[in-house]
């Protein structure tokens, strides 16, 4: 039966190597099966180049109708799994139709590639960049190989970064004022603020500050919204008194945050919120939510 098993093996092996693969930074990426792999990291406007090797299996020749490489930026909705929306699609033809008898290597290059969105893997959507090599073979079935890579884009500190100051209360029962030092934070930033109790006539048991991520996919009636609580930070345990103030100091670096994504290719958005939660002695919960912007600050060497 060995010859039957062999019939299902690909007619050739394809390998993809980046020009600077040994020196370029590698970062972990979770595959569809949950396995973590290391992939090279790029940012927009970089050159992406390397070599493709095609080697016939078992020393046999490979007849083909052409060989090409594509650089694809794709969005996949998990409720529409298997259908990819390409927002970037670049093609390089590597070879004309012919036969390959032994290992053959092809250089490739995509210059100053526009990659406007970051790689993202969420609850209902993922955005990925991939190199796709196709050996076209007509009736024999094309042979395809993929190589993922990751894209991160960096931002300078915002020129305007206003503080957040809000009042919240229940008439004749509770009046608090809270402020955060700014409204835009980088991934390793620190949220600094204060809570002021101006009126307290209910018995508050504790108070927490949460970081929430809200992922919206689709549109209209097909919109899917998932909200995750990424962090829960206890601000107070016990009843406050009028005039009391409580400081806030919350480090963002321990949490798996991504930059804010706003209406990416009309497919999805990712937003972050600070959610202030008060619980009284009867376990009633009071909320006040405030959106913040998260960005990726360029790393200094």
């Amino acid at each position: 039966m060995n010859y039957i098993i062999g019939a299902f093996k690909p007619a050739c092996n394809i390998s993809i190597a980046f020009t600077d693969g040994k020196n370029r930074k590698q970062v972990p990426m979770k595959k569809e099966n949950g396995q973590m792999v290391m992939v090279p990291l790029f940012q927009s406007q970089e050159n992406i180049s390397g070599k493709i090797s095609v080697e016939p299996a078992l020393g046999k020749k490979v007849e083909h109708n052409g060989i090409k490489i594509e650089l694809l930026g794709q969005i996949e909705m998990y409720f529409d799994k298997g259908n990819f929306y390409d927002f970037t699609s670049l093609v390089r033809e590597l070879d004309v139709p012919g036969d390959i008898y032994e290992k053959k290597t092809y250089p490739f290059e995509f210059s100053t590639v526009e990659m406007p969105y970051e790689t993202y893997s969420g609850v209902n959507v993922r955005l990925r960049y991939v190199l796709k090599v196709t050996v076209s073979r007509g009736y024999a079935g094309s042979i395809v190989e993929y190589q993922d890579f990751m894209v991160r884009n960096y931002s300078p500190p915002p020129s305007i970064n206003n503080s957040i100051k809000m009042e919240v209360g229940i008439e004749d029962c509770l009046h608090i004022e809270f402020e955060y030092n700014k409204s835009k934070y980088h991934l390793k930033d620190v949220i600094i603020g204060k809570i002021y109790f101006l009126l307290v006539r209910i018995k508050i048991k504790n108070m927490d500050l949460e970081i929430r991520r809200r992922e919206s996919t689709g549109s209209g009636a097909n919109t899917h919204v998932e909200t995750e609580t990424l962090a829960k930070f206890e601000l107070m345990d016990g009843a406050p008194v009028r005039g009391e103030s409580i400081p806030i100091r919350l480090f963002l670096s321990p949490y798996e945050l991504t930059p804010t994504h706003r209406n990416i290719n009309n497919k999805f958005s990712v937003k972050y919120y600070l959610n202030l939660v008060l619980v009284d002695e009867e376990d009633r919960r009071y909320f006040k939510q405030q959106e913040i912007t998260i960005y990726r600050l360029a790393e200094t060497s």
Side-chain angles (χ1 to χ4, degrees), residues 4-272:
I4 295 178
I5 296 171
F8 291 98
K9 291 183 178 179
C12 63
N13 298 314
I14 303 171
S15 61
I16 305 170
F18 292 94
T19 299
D20 55 357
K22 292 183 179 179
N23 299 321
R24 180 168 290 274
K25 183 177 180 179
Q26 304 279 315
V27 292
M29 188 185 75
K30 184 183 288 187
K31 298 183 72 174
E32 283 186 282
N33 59 9
Q35 180 185 359
M36 298 297 291
V37 295
M38 300 300 290
V39 298
L41 177 63
F42 291 86
Q43 57 183 303
S44 189
Q45 302 296 329
E46 282 201 79
N47 296 339
I48 297 179
S49 62
K51 292 182 179 179
I52 307 300
S53 295
V54 180
E55 185 173 11
L58 305 173
K60 295 181 179 180
K61 76 171 182 177
V62 176
E63 300 177 11
H64 66 87
N65 298 328
I67 301 174
K68 67 179 179 180
I69 182 171
E70 299 168 84
L71 190 157
L72 303 172
Q74 302 179 319
I75 296 173
E76 181 187 26
M77 305 289 194
Y78 291 156
F79 55 81
D80 191 19
K81 205 161 182 65
N83 288 328
F84 291 93
Y85 301 90
D86 294 348
F87 58 85
T88 294
S89 180
L90 304 172
V91 184
R92 299 286 183 271
E93 300 292 340
L94 300 178
D95 205 350
V96 297
D99 299 334
I100 299 177
Y101 295 91
E102 58 186 4
K103 183 177 180 179
K104 199 167 181 181
T105 301
Y106 305 91
F108 71 89
E109 181 172 10
F110 297 95
S111 300
T112 56
V113 183
E114 181 72 31
M115 296 178 285
Y117 312 127
E118 282 210 1
T119 301
Y120 175 77
S121 180
V123 179
N124 283 323
V125 62
R126 69 167 171 154
L127 187 153
R128 72 169 188 167
Y129 291 90
V130 65
L131 293 176
K132 177 184 178 184
V133 177
T134 305
V135 178
S136 300
R137 300 179 66 225
Y139 72 91
S142 296
I143 302 168
V144 181
E145 182 68 25
Y146 296 91
Q147 172 63 58
D148 284 278
F149 60 95
M150 188 170 284
V151 172
R152 289 178 182 166
N153 291 323
Y154 302 90
S155 304
S159 55
I160 299 175
N161 197 347
N162 295 323
S163 61
I164 300 170
K165 189 172 183 178
M166 296 183 70
E167 294 185 12
V168 60
I170 304 165
E171 189 174 357
D172 295 329
C173 294
L174 179 69
H175 185 189
I176 63 174
E177 188 177 87
F178 64 90
E179 63 176 285
Y180 305 113
N181 59 332
K182 48 191 177 182
S183 53
K184 300 173 183 176
Y185 298 87
H186 62 79
L187 293 171
K188 297 180 181 179
D189 218 334
V190 183
I191 295 172
I192 297 173
K194 275 190 177 181
I195 309 289
Y196 300 94
F197 290 87
L198 305 177
L199 176 65
V200 185
R201 287 182 179 166
I202 57 176
K203 294 181 179 180
I204 296 174
K205 185 168 62 175
N206 63 280
M207 180 168 61
D208 297 324
L209 181 65
E210 299 173 339
I211 301 175
R212 291 187 171 185
R213 175 163 57 211
R214 182 177 298 165
E215 178 189 281
S216 303
T217 55
S219 59
N222 294 320
T223 301
H224 297 254
V225 178
E226 292 284 346
T227 301
E228 301 173 85
T229 300
L230 304 180
K232 191 172 183 179
F233 181 70
E234 186 176 79
L235 296 174
M236 181 194 70
D237 184 11
V241 296
R242 181 178 178 178
E244 189 172 357
S245 68
I246 296 175
I248 297 172
R249 191 174 183 85
L250 177 58
F251 291 84
L252 297 180
S253 54
Y255 307 108
E256 293 186 7
L257 306 181
T258 70
T260 296
H261 298 295
R262 300 189 187 279
N263 197 23
I264 300 301
N265 211 50
N266 294 319
K267 296 297 181 187
F268 73 96
S269 296
V270 180
K271 297 180 180 179
Y272 288 89

